[in-house]
Amino acid sequence: MAIRFHLVDAAAVIERQESQHLNAKEMALHLSVAQIMASLAWVQHHTEKLRVVASDNEFTHLREAQQGFDPMAG
């Protein structure tokens, strides 16, 4: 009987360890997804900022061209 009890106990320990390992893998996956989403949000935010800057630069360039502005003229 004692041997059977130890086998059941060992099986429970192994099952618990496998469950903990699976939980750790799931947590790592969720963290990776969260990091990817945060990185994507950062890229989208800065892409929009760059679009605004590019648009402003294009507007300024067009306005200066209409006014005959020569940046090379000192």
Side-chain angles (χ1 to χ4, degrees), residues 4-5 9 14 21 23 28-29 33 38 48 55 58 71:
R4 184 178 176 101
F5 177 75
D9 210 24
I14 290 171
H21 182 71
N23 288 342
L29 178 61
V33 169
E48 187 57 35
S55 177
E58 184 177 344

Side-chain angles (χ1 to χ4, degrees), residues 3-59:
I3 293 173
R4 184 178 176 101
F5 177 75
H6 288 298
L7 289 177
V8 171
D9 210 24
V13 168
I14 290 171
E15 185 177 339
R16 190 168 41 249
Q17 287 176 339
E18 288 175 349
S19 178
Q20 288 173 345
H21 182 71
L22 181 60
N23 288 342
K25 285 175 116 179
E26 286 179 6
M27 181 172 275
L29 178 61
H30 288 298
L31 287 174
S32 296
V33 169
Q35 289 172 331
I36 290 167
M37 297 299 287
S39 295
L40 180 58
W42 184 90
V43 168
Q44 288 174 332
H45 172 73
H46 287 280
T47 299
E48 187 57 35
K49 285 176 69 174
L50 287 173
R51 281 189 182 127
V52 169
V53 169
S55 177
D56 288 347
N57 286 344
E58 184 177 344
F59 177 75

